[in-house]
Amino acid sequence: MIQTRVLGTFVGDPNLLSEPCAANKDKLPTPAGSWKGLLNATYFRNKCPQANNERELLELQQRIGRNEDVEDCLHINIYTPQMPNNTCRSLLPVMFYIHGGSFRVGSARDFLPDFLLEEDIVLVVIQYRLGPLGFLSFGVEEAPGNMGLHDQLMALKWTKRYIHNFCGDSDRITIFGQSSGAAAVTLMMASPLVTPDLFQRVIVQSGSTLCDWAIDFHPLAHAQTIARMSNCDLPSTREMIDCLRNQSAFQILMAHSDFLTEVLINEGRAVRGNNGGNHAIIEKPGPLSYLVEDPRLSFQDGRFLKVPMMIGVTKHEGSFFLGNIHDFILERNNATNNTDYLVNDFLKATLQFSGIDDTTGAITDVFQDKYFRVEEIGNFTAMVPGLVDICGVTLLKACTLQQARRNAHVHSTFLYTFNYRGQYTKFGYGDDAHHYPFPGGVAHSNDLLYLFPNTEGSLNSADREVAKTVVELWTSFASNGTPSAHDLENVWLPMTSTVGPYLRIEQPSSLQANFYMEYNITASEGLDVYMRELSSLSPPTCVLSRVLFLLTVSVTVVSCR
């Protein structure tokens, strides 16, 4: 973060995959052929179509109206500190990143190399088909589902085969991802299609295929509903698929968004409800099946690739989910100040929204006793710390810990929590979050601010020090399997019990013994600590001075034959 370095940046590479087109919706990727002449790799290619916000949807609709191939989006971005030529000074560890975003949104251009490539690694950032365009499944060969996961696997195979041309070591590949990208990493560990030679280590950030939101267990019913909402209410599966292939990406994405909103409103649950169309699915066993059993069984019974793992969460994982609860439960029902509802029904509704059914009320009572003082019940503001903890544990912390335990049985596993509260936040994901009567704290995705440059501004001096620590930990693990950093007072030890040890990353970082402390850390610290915003922000300073050779290698994925 303090050096000047020349980078080679290659965005999108047609050597990887062949072009997707509207006629090949729902199909698996096929390798692309080579190109003739000199490839212009100096600009970012298309994002994969997604229902991210109104502005991007309007732009997508306009591009479709101009007959642009908006679904030509499967590209790889490669960043290397050594300009490729006939000889490399050395082959460097490769970090292969899968972005998150609920398998619905995100793009490779959001994850730039400036921080990570202060160390000697090669960074690969991929794109894959999103939402129903990448995951809708009718359970037949024409629309099998898991297309986005196949895109990821083909990108990894391409990286394994060609990364030496960019001075990357094909025998030292670390796959890492955050949120749904973390779930994708662990799905690769469980997939029968992924061979042990493709990667050597994994970093799992705030997510796992063991989380309740990772798998769609009723994909056909969800696909049929989405088809009907996309004006494809036809009697047979074959007719529905043909109809959807004649729909634009915009029409399908809008139908899917309407479907998810309807489920949230009608069912009052965002996890384990009738939402789908953007998750991994379990397929019938076959030579092209990406996932053939519930991954919980795969990890329970040892049917997964066993490699060193770094895995963890952020301190206030639950704040973004509490934002959804605030919008869809409290505000929609005008219940934020309804004391009777907050006392008698709100916590049970919160658990249901998180995917936990509590028919007897016993679970609600246990959570209420653990996370709230009696005088806090009925006052939403007073309940915020406990609610942040509950949402974080049920959505991410417990399932991430379970993933760590499964791996620790068979290989070195380094557990962490990212607890540093810096100048910037991902809370709200770029949208105005000021209407929430609580801050995001160390929110879901905040760790990414210290791995990839923040578009809102440069880091202040304190944040830069944390970024330096995080980058050193991540890249040292990718290099040799043991995370280390210049300012750690103690050696970060791998897990030896079901709850630790684990590294609490903050200023200063410390090694802790019992990860359960992170389950109620917000409630333990109290409302005043959580609600406190930084009183003074250091003025932005330049993170680094760097010359970039922006060469973009475009890599596409589904042939139009």
Side-chain angles (χ1 to χ4, degrees):
M1 278 34 68
I2 49 176
Q3 305 173 21
T4 300
R5 194 166 208 179
V6 177
L7 295 184
T9 303
F10 303 83
V11 191
D13 190 342
N15 260 354
L16 175 54
L17 314 156
S18 56
E19 291 187 16
C21 62
N24 283 273
K25 283 186 178 74
D26 305 320
K27 289 189 176 181
L28 300 183
T30 56
S34 59
W35 69 90
K36 294 181 180 180
L38 186 65
L39 173 70
N40 182 0
T42 60
Y43 64 96
F44 290 113
R45 305 308 203 268
N46 292 339
K47 295 181 178 181
C48 285
Q50 55 196 269
N52 192 9
N53 54 53
E54 291 184 8
R55 179 185 57 79
E56 288 196 4
L57 279 170
L58 177 60
E59 180 184 333
L60 177 65
Q61 189 176 29
Q62 293 170 340
R63 291 175 58 210
I64 292 172
R66 296 193 296 266
N67 294 318
E68 293 184 27
D69 188 0
V70 297
E71 293 178 65
D72 177 13
C73 68
L74 298 172
H75 311 296
I76 286 181
N77 295 353
I78 302 170
Y79 307 95
T80 176
Q82 298 185 49
M83 290 304 297
N85 50 37
N86 293 331
T87 59
C88 297
R89 295 189 302 275
S90 61
L91 292 180
L92 303 176
V94 178
M95 299 186 70
F96 179 97
Y97 186 70
I98 305 174
H99 71 75
S102 301
F103 294 120
R104 292 183 62 223
V105 299
S107 74
R109 69 178 64 182
D110 298 327
F111 303 95
L112 298 177
D114 305 48
F115 294 179
L116 285 168
L117 262 76
E118 288 299 332
E119 302 295 329
D120 286 330
I121 61 105
V122 173
L123 176 64
V124 177
V125 186
I126 68 167
Q127 297 193 152
Y128 54 96
R129 284 170 285 178
L130 299 168
L133 302 176
F135 293 90
L136 197 69
S137 172
F138 285 90
V140 296
E141 184 178 351
E142 294 82 3
N146 290 339
M147 292 80 68
L149 302 179
H150 281 274
D151 298 344
Q152 296 169 9
L153 177 55
M154 184 161 285
L156 181 59
K157 289 180 176 178
W158 187 95
T159 299
K160 173 71 175 179
R161 182 174 181 180
Y162 293 108
I163 200 63
H164 67 276
N165 294 311
F166 303 89
C167 301
D169 188 344
S170 62
D171 292 325
R172 279 194 295 169
I173 296 176
T174 297
I175 57 174
F176 71 126
Q178 186 267 346
S179 194
S180 60
V185 167
T186 55
L187 282 166
M188 279 195 175
M189 297 174 70
S191 172
L193 298 184
V194 182
T195 54
D197 62 308
L198 290 177
F199 60 88
Q200 287 66 51
R201 288 179 268 280
V202 298
I203 301 175
V204 181
Q205 301 175 225
S206 300
S208 163
T209 188
L210 302 184
C211 300
D212 281 338
W213 45 262
I215 305 293
D216 180 358
F217 289 100
H218 305 286
L220 178 58
H222 299 152
Q224 291 169 336
T225 302
I226 293 165
R228 285 192 288 270
M229 296 180 76
S230 190
N231 297 317
C232 292
D233 188 4
L234 296 166
S236 73
T237 294
R238 176 72 263 175
E239 290 173 297
M240 279 187 169
I241 294 172
D242 288 342
C243 177
L244 286 171
R245 285 185 176 159
N246 288 318
Q247 298 273 15
S248 71
F250 175 83
Q251 291 169 305
I252 296 173
L253 290 172
M254 288 301 297
H256 183 239
S257 291
D258 292 343
F259 164 71
L260 294 179
T261 301
E262 188 174 284
V263 169
L264 283 176
I265 294 172
N266 294 338
E267 297 186 7
R269 61 172 69 229
V271 179
R272 296 183 65 186
N274 281 311
N275 40 32
N278 60 300
H279 301 289
I281 61 105
I282 300 169
E283 306 164 67
K284 296 177 182 178
L288 297 178
S289 298
Y290 194 93
L291 193 65
V292 296
E293 67 177 352
D294 188 330
R296 289 173 292 193
L297 290 177
S298 302
F299 284 98
Q300 174 183 300
D301 297 340
R303 290 185 293 274
F304 62 95
L305 295 180
K306 300 164 180 66
V307 295
M309 173 183 285
M310 246 179 72
I311 182 169
V313 296
T314 65
K315 182 178 183 179
H316 302 124
E317 290 282 14
S319 61
F320 89 96
F321 201 63
L322 182 58
N324 293 333
I325 290 170
H326 176 268
D327 291 342
F328 281 94
I329 295 180
L330 293 179
E331 286 297 291
R332 186 173 290 277
N333 298 307
N334 196 27
T336 306
N337 298 309
N338 185 333
T339 302
D340 183 67
Y341 175 79
L342 292 172
V343 169
N344 296 301
D345 301 303
F346 177 51
L347 185 54
K348 186 174 182 178
T350 295
L351 293 176
Q352 178 178 297
F353 197 82
S354 306
I356 298 174
D357 292 316
D358 183 20
T359 55
T360 67
I363 300 174
T364 300
D365 288 345
V366 170
F367 272 82
Q368 182 166 301
D369 179 64
K370 179 175 179 61
Y371 287 101
F372 306 104
R373 296 194 300 270
V374 173
E375 62 270 21
E376 294 171 343
I377 306 298
N379 181 327
F380 175 72
T381 299
M383 294 174 70
V384 161
L387 291 168
V388 169
D389 282 334
I390 289 171
C391 291
V393 169
T394 57
L395 193 72
L396 286 164
K397 290 189 178 183
C399 54
T400 301
L401 178 60
Q402 180 70 8
Q403 183 74 65
R405 287 171 174 163
R406 293 298 184 191
N407 203 72
H409 282 305
V410 296
H411 224 302
S412 56
T413 301
F414 298 89
L415 180 64
Y416 73 87
T417 176
F418 183 84
N419 287 17
Y420 177 74
R421 190 169 184 171
Q423 180 179 4
Y424 297 106
T425 183
K426 290 282 189 180
F427 185 58
Y429 293 99
D431 294 332
D432 186 5
H434 287 94
H435 69 288
Y436 293 120
F438 53 88
V442 187
H444 185 62
S445 304
N446 267 23
D447 50 341
L448 297 179
L449 294 168
Y450 307 89
L451 286 169
F452 302 99
N454 177 24
T455 57
E456 294 184 16
S458 300
L459 303 182
N460 62 32
S461 57
D463 291 2
R464 289 204 310 275
E465 285 304 309
V466 173
K468 183 174 178 61
T469 297
V470 171
V471 166
E472 288 178 358
L473 291 171
W474 264 241
T475 56
S476 60
F477 177 77
S479 179
N480 57 43
T482 303
S484 61
H486 73 286
D487 61 344
L488 288 191
E489 295 182 0
N490 300 299
V491 175
W492 184 359
L493 300 173
M495 293 179 69
T496 55
S497 76
T498 58
V499 292
Y502 69 99
L503 184 68
R504 184 180 283 170
I505 301 173
E506 50 190 355
Q507 280 289 78
S509 298
S510 60
L511 203 63
Q512 302 290 329
N514 188 345
F515 193 77
Y516 287 153
M517 290 192 298
E518 306 304 322
Y519 276 29
N520 66 339
I521 190 169
T522 319
S524 296
E525 291 180 344
L527 180 66
D528 290 343
V529 172
Y530 181 70
M531 298 293 282
R532 183 182 66 234
E533 296 289 355
L534 297 181
S535 58
S536 62
L537 299 179
S538 301
T541 54
C542 184
V543 176
L544 54 99
S545 175
R546 173 173 292 185
V547 178
L548 289 180
F549 290 131
L550 187 56
L551 309 170
T552 350
V553 182
S554 123
V555 197
T556 37
V557 176
V558 172
S559 67
C560 297
R561 294 191 292 272

